[in-house]
Amino acid sequence: MSNIKQEPVHAGEFLLSEGAGKISREAINVVAGPAVMAGQVLGMVAATGEFAPYNPAAEDGSENAACILFASLGESDVTRRGRAVVRLAEVSEVLLTGLDPDAEKALAANFIIVR
């Protein structure tokens, strides 16, 4: 039996490049719930303005990819404060969670280019 551990994506590890300074990032509110890892594609819940993991089957706004979580957040019963890449960046496809062709197209509209 082996004890192989898999290391999670580190904060910002998915970034290949971003705009000068911190222009690519914003502070965001993330819905309460299970832990969310860095590199998770997020959509905005229209009713609250909070971000949730992108879910193409949802009907609350989170079905529209809007940004990528910069650093992991632990499980919480309350809204969490986080950082997200929201514009002007190139990102590594293999380090993203929740990406599909529709999300890739939506992110590109915010100048977040998947490589």
Side-chain angles (χ1 to χ4, degrees):
M1 180 177 199
S2 71
N3 289 330
I4 297 175
K5 293 185 179 183
Q6 206 166 15
E7 193 166 350
V9 175
H10 294 276
E13 183 178 1
F14 60 88
L15 277 171
L16 299 174
S17 70
E18 64 181 318
K22 303 288 187 252
I23 196 169
S24 299
R25 304 180 206 174
E26 293 285 342
I28 62 166
N29 291 321
V30 179
V31 296
V36 187
M37 298 294 111
Q40 172 69 54
V41 177
L42 302 173
M44 184 189 292
V45 178
T48 64
E50 297 173 349
F51 288 85
Y54 166 70
N55 178 358
E59 296 181 0
D60 62 0
S62 64
E63 71 274 15
N64 301 309
C67 59
I68 303 168
L69 187 65
F70 182 79
S72 298
L73 296 172
E75 181 178 351
S76 179
D77 293 335
V78 297
T79 299
R80 299 163 278 185
R81 193 75 168 150
R83 300 284 179 273
V85 174
V86 299
R87 70 182 78 77
L88 300 174
E90 292 176 294
V91 296
S92 173
E93 178 178 10
V94 299
L95 295 175
L96 300 181
T97 302
L99 185 71
D100 67 12
D102 289 336
E104 185 172 352
K105 187 175 181 181
L107 291 172
N110 291 333
F111 303 100
I112 301 173
I113 308 304
V114 177
R115 302 281 185 211

